[in-house]
Amino acid sequence: MGIEKDKSLLPYNSFHMEARAAQFVAITDKDQLKEMVEKAGGSILVLCGGSIIFFTKDVKGLVLKMDIRCIEEINEDSLHIYVRAVAGENCHAFVPYCIVRNCAAFANPSLLPSTLGPAPIPPLVSL
């Protein structure tokens, strides 16, 4: 998807504050993310789930909405499962993934209306 101009940010924040982005891109893969960051000539606002942002005015720069979704187990030892999850992955969807794998340490963010991008979690989930 290309750059959208003068995009409403109303559906992208849980406070439902009307604000507009001068430029907006929904990021769906890491190559697109890299390209948009390299092309950006000014400020960038990275927007994940929109639950911790309160818009008080329009955004004059580029807004990158993180829509990349991926969860993968990258390693496991006797005490830990190492999981990589990207910023656009939904917090509440990630909780059952962890519970099924006996990773209950991640249960705290359950029901957060957000994605993992801004989630206050450790990079490691214990068994």
Side-chain angles (χ1 to χ4, degrees):
M1 181 179 217
I3 297 175
E4 297 179 61
K5 307 273 186 190
D6 193 35
K7 174 84 170 175
S8 172
L9 298 174
L10 186 68
Y12 303 105
N13 70 92
S14 59
F15 291 103
H16 303 291
M17 299 300 296
E18 179 56 70
R20 303 196 77 76
Q23 298 179 327
F24 178 94
V25 177
I27 300 295
T28 56
D29 66 60
K30 66 180 181 179
D31 293 331
Q32 181 191 28
L33 175 60
K34 183 178 178 183
E35 176 186 343
M36 288 296 115
V37 169
E38 288 173 355
K39 281 184 176 180
S43 65
I44 298 174
L45 170 67
V46 178
L47 185 61
C48 290
S51 65
I52 61 169
I53 191 163
F54 187 87
F55 290 109
T56 59
K57 59 184 176 181
D58 292 346
V59 179
K60 298 192 185 302
L62 174 63
V63 174
L64 300 178
K65 170 68 171 83
M66 299 305 296
D67 281 343
I68 303 171
R69 299 187 193 279
C70 179
I71 302 170
E72 63 180 327
E73 293 178 23
I74 55 174
N75 195 12
E76 184 174 350
D77 60 32
S78 62
L79 296 176
H80 303 97
I81 297 173
Y82 298 83
V83 177
R84 179 182 301 143
V86 296
E89 194 63 57
N90 179 279
C91 278
H92 187 60
F94 189 56
V95 171
Y97 175 92
C98 291
I99 291 172
V100 165
R101 286 153 186 82
N102 200 25
C103 299
F106 192 77
N108 290 339
S110 182
L111 299 177
L112 283 179
S114 186
T115 61
L116 292 175
I121 59 170
L124 164 63
V125 178
S126 299
L127 288 172

